[in-house]
Amino acid sequence: MKEKLLEIKAKALSLLSDDNCDVEDIRIKYLGKKGELTAVLRGMGQLTPEERPVIGQLANEVRADIEKAITEKKANAEKAMLEKKLRSEKIDVTMPASALKAGRLHPLTKVQRELEDIFIGLGFSIAEGPEVEYDYYNFQALNIPENHPARDTQDTFYITNNILLRSQTSPVQVRTMEVQKPPIRIISPGRVYRSDAVDATHSPLFHQLEGLVVDKGVTMGDLKGILELFAQRMFGENTKIRFRPHHFPFTEPSAEVDVSCFACGGKGCRVCKGEGWIEILGAGMVHPNVLRGCDIDPDVYSGFAFGMGIERIVMTKYNIDDMRLLYENDTRFLSQF
């Protein structure tokens, strides 16, 4: 039995010396419950009382030597694997880094900033207000009382009966007139919300820029002059504007404002659908009721207001035929601007 134990030890250590050996298979073969060393130990009952302690001690030494060899083999394998991984993942910090793609402004942001620059150059300042607004500021203070038909065209999202997502940036004008007395000369760009179905020309979220001027002696001629300057700086020096009578509850008189087509110069083309003109904004003289509600005497002061959809400006300027393209975040589309 002594020779058998020494033979088992020699075979196990010989197998473990091979770099490509399977350590776990060797452990099971010699030290497992059905391993060769276990099988030898089961025969110790046939030994004499004098032989048992000697063979038992030798068996423990053989097991210890094999386990030690297995442990060292596993440790060496893990060390070799770690070294290989470190070599493969080594980073040369002196090599040039991968170039980062530079971002660019979204066309909506780009056009909004261009609009702001134009009006700041004309003496306007920027005013902002909350997107979650009271019904009073969004409708009532703008001469749109409850059950007024104009509310149907500006159906928005209500949080409570009295709080809603603003359907226009006009509430900023009212808030400004409440805290600032004339002269007033502001623009109010920002997001607005309406309960519209999504299609090529409508979205429940879009952007507006509105303007307000209130002072003594302000006339419709002043409004026309400002809008002509805006159109020429935005669409080209030869751009003309046209007023068409319209109705807005918060202005009187009111007008829809068209610009001559910048693509064909007014001759008629695909961009302007053959009309030579493109509708671009609404405008008018501030209604006396609106001034009076802000504690501004309409017999002393007058004013004009105008408002435009920034998406419409973007689509007109870049000849985009589907508003949804502006919100889909497709870099293939956005990288053109």
Side-chain angles (χ1 to χ4, degrees):
M1 187 173 287
K2 179 179 179 181
E3 291 76 12
K4 182 64 176 175
L5 290 172
L6 295 175
E7 182 183 350
I8 290 172
K9 175 181 176 181
K11 286 183 178 179
L13 295 180
S14 176
L15 291 173
L16 289 169
S17 65
D18 186 353
D19 291 338
N20 297 319
C21 68
D22 190 322
V23 177
E24 186 61 17
D25 284 349
I26 295 173
R27 186 192 68 79
I28 293 172
K29 180 177 180 180
Y30 291 102
L31 303 182
K33 291 182 179 180
K34 297 181 180 180
E36 294 186 17
L37 181 59
T38 304
V40 172
L41 294 176
R42 287 197 185 105
M44 289 186 64
Q46 302 173 3
L47 300 175
T48 63
E50 293 79 11
E51 293 176 322
R52 287 175 188 170
V54 176
I55 297 301
Q57 182 179 354
L58 179 59
N60 289 333
E61 291 175 355
V62 169
R63 178 183 290 278
D65 290 343
I66 295 175
E67 287 178 343
K68 181 180 178 182
I70 289 174
T71 301
E72 291 177 352
K73 189 70 175 181
K74 287 183 177 180
N76 291 335
E78 290 174 358
K79 182 179 179 182
M81 186 179 296
L82 178 59
E83 290 176 352
K84 181 180 179 180
K85 184 177 181 181
L86 290 174
R87 285 195 300 271
S88 66
E89 296 180 356
K90 183 179 179 181
I91 299 175
D92 186 352
V93 296
T94 64
M95 290 184 66
S98 299
L100 295 176
K101 291 185 178 180
R104 64 183 69 200
L105 292 176
H106 191 282
L108 282 170
T109 303
K110 185 176 180 181
V111 168
Q112 179 175 321
R113 291 187 180 181
E114 188 175 349
L115 292 169
E116 291 172 354
D117 287 343
I118 290 172
F119 284 107
I120 288 173
L122 294 173
F124 287 75
S125 59
I126 297 175
E128 297 181 341
E131 294 179 21
V132 180
E133 188 56 275
Y134 288 107
D135 180 276
Y136 171 79
Y137 288 104
N138 196 77
F139 290 121
Q140 298 175 44
L142 293 167
N143 204 34
I144 309 176
E146 291 186 19
N147 302 317
H148 193 286
R151 292 196 179 213
D152 294 339
T153 61
Q154 294 192 27
D155 187 22
T156 185
F157 302 93
Y158 281 80
I159 298 172
T160 68
N161 290 334
N162 190 42
I163 299 176
L164 47 79
L165 299 182
R166 67 182 182 186
S167 61
Q168 52 196 348
T169 57
S170 302
V172 180
Q173 301 179 21
V174 176
R175 289 179 174 273
T176 300
M177 286 189 287
E178 284 184 340
V179 299
Q180 178 182 337
K181 297 311 174 187
I184 298 171
R185 199 181 186 95
I186 63 161
I187 55 170
S188 53
R191 283 187 293 263
V192 297
Y193 306 83
R194 294 185 187 178
S195 184
D196 291 337
V198 177
D199 59 29
T201 57
H202 296 85
S203 170
L205 179 152
F206 58 101
H207 299 74
Q208 276 190 344
L209 182 143
E210 297 192 12
L212 172 71
V213 172
V214 180
D215 204 348
K216 294 179 180 179
V218 175
T219 68
M220 198 82 168
D222 298 317
L223 170 61
K224 185 173 183 292
I226 286 290
L227 294 183
E228 278 184 334
L229 286 172
F230 151 70
Q232 290 167 2
R233 295 186 184 182
M234 190 71 194
F235 301 109
E237 293 180 358
N238 297 322
T239 304
K240 297 179 175 61
I241 67 170
R242 179 179 72 175
F243 280 29
R244 289 181 289 108
H246 195 70
H247 170 71
F248 298 112
F250 34 84
T251 54
E252 180 60 38
S254 305
E256 291 279 14
V257 183
D258 305 331
V259 296
S260 57
C261 180
F262 56 87
C264 66
K267 297 177 181 179
C269 66
R270 185 175 65 87
V271 175
C272 61
K273 299 178 181 179
E275 296 180 1
W277 296 91
I278 301 172
E279 180 186 329
I280 209 71
L281 55 86
M285 301 301 293
V286 179
H287 198 291
N289 288 348
V290 176
L291 294 175
R292 197 175 290 112
C294 297
D295 200 23
I296 296 176
D297 189 347
D299 294 327
V300 178
Y301 295 99
S302 59
F304 63 76
F306 56 86
M308 64 192 78
I310 297 178
E311 278 82 354
R312 175 171 289 186
I313 302 291
V314 173
M315 294 172 71
T316 300
K317 186 177 178 67
Y318 296 117
N319 195 18
I320 299 170
D321 59 5
D322 194 325
M323 186 188 295
R324 290 169 291 193
L325 292 169
L326 298 172
Y327 305 121
E328 291 175 350
N329 294 326
D330 189 332
T331 55
R332 296 172 299 177
F333 169 76
L334 297 176
S335 61
Q336 300 177 73
F337 306 100

